[in-house]
Amino acid sequence: LRCFLGEEEAEAVATWCKEQDRGRSDIFEYRLGEADKLREEGNGLFKEGDFAAALQRYHAAIWHLDFDVGQQWNMMDHHQLDLNTRKLKVISNICAVHFKAKDWASTKQAADVGLRHMQKAELKDGEAEAKFLYRKGIANLERGFSEDAYEALKKADAANPGDRQVRQALKTATDAQRRDKQQAKLVWRDKLLTEQEKSCQGPWWQ
């Protein structure tokens, strides 16, 4: 949860859960079940367009899925897989909320968290990976980072080949990257020109 929220905000999520009589259970299956319920509630709120409430439910779901290192150390492999798979889904939901709200900085952050989680947990899901990379690419593109956008979208295309939405975004990023490079060349050229050379570039009647 601390990947998304500061200490006080994370504590507020925990307090809300306890006040709603939705505190953490000591039983693994119950905690996962509560996380599933919160995620489903978040999905309903997301569809209604209540992004703030949806995000709150997703954060609460993550709180239930946050087991400490000692607890995870004793988990059986299938329990660890269940946990990691659920975390992946909720992180994707969080990323989707920020994407829909056009909060591009938070979209990129959530996408990076999702990609790191997949790598660390060794989860192989081309579609999920492509979604994170696509959203990261669009977020970078909207923020004016065409080169970073191109790299993310190129990886998204490789992770899930043939996706028309990804291909279109990749084309847009390629065009933006080309324009940015041309603009950068002009800026550097102008910096390197002498004052006499710059005056020579003026209109012929001057």
Side-chain angles (χ1 to χ4, degrees):
L1 185 59
R2 290 299 303 278
C3 292
F4 301 104
L5 302 175
E7 185 176 354
E8 290 185 6
E9 293 172 314
E11 194 60 41
V13 171
T15 300
W16 179 86
C17 288
K18 293 169 186 175
E19 289 175 348
Q20 298 295 316
D21 196 25
R22 307 182 81 162
R24 284 173 173 165
S25 171
D26 293 328
I27 301 172
F28 176 80
E29 288 79 10
Y30 287 2
R31 275 178 69 167
L32 264 60
E34 188 60 42
D36 287 344
K37 290 176 185 176
L38 286 161
R39 177 173 172 268
E40 288 169 7
E41 289 175 19
N43 289 345
L45 291 162
F46 178 79
K47 289 176 182 176
E48 292 172 5
D50 192 343
F51 299 148
L55 196 59
Q56 196 271 345
R57 295 302 194 284
Y58 294 144
H59 286 156
I62 287 286
W63 181 72
H64 278 278
L65 297 173
D66 272 346
F67 288 80
D68 62 39
V69 176
Q71 291 171 314
Q72 293 192 56
W73 183 264
N74 295 318
M75 283 184 187
M76 297 178 69
D77 289 346
H78 69 279
H79 285 157
Q80 188 68 61
L81 181 60
D82 283 345
L83 176 63
N84 288 333
T85 301
R86 279 172 167 82
K87 275 188 179 180
L88 178 65
K89 290 179 179 178
V90 182
I91 294 169
S92 182
N93 291 141
I94 291 172
C95 190
V97 169
H98 292 311
F99 185 84
K100 195 73 173 178
K102 297 184 179 181
D103 182 346
W104 303 121
S106 296
T107 297
K108 180 189 177 298
Q109 180 197 21
D112 282 335
V113 171
L115 292 167
R116 283 199 304 271
H117 174 66
M118 291 189 72
Q119 183 178 21
K120 187 176 179 180
E122 297 182 351
L123 295 173
K124 305 297 181 184
D125 186 332
E127 185 176 348
E129 183 182 4
K131 276 186 180 180
F132 284 129
L133 288 165
Y134 169 74
R135 290 166 180 163
K136 178 179 178 178
I138 294 297
N140 279 327
L141 196 59
E142 291 290 342
R143 296 163 70 215
F145 301 119
S146 60
E147 188 171 348
D148 291 338
Y150 172 80
E151 290 300 325
L153 291 165
K154 189 176 180 181
K155 289 178 183 177
D157 187 46
N160 191 25
D163 188 297
R164 290 179 61 187
Q165 195 174 34
V166 172
R167 286 283 174 88
Q168 182 58 46
L170 181 58
K171 182 180 182 303
T172 301
T174 302
D175 293 341
Q177 187 183 38
R178 187 181 299 114
R179 287 195 302 271
D180 288 348
K181 285 181 178 179
Q182 290 173 346
Q183 186 64 32
K185 285 180 181 179
L186 290 173
V187 170
W188 277 106
R189 188 192 67 181
D190 288 345
K191 285 184 177 180
L192 294 171
L193 289 175
T194 65
E195 289 302 318
Q196 184 177 3
E197 287 172 328
K198 287 180 181 179
S199 66
C200 290
Q201 287 187 330
W204 62 269
W205 60 82
Q206 289 184 351

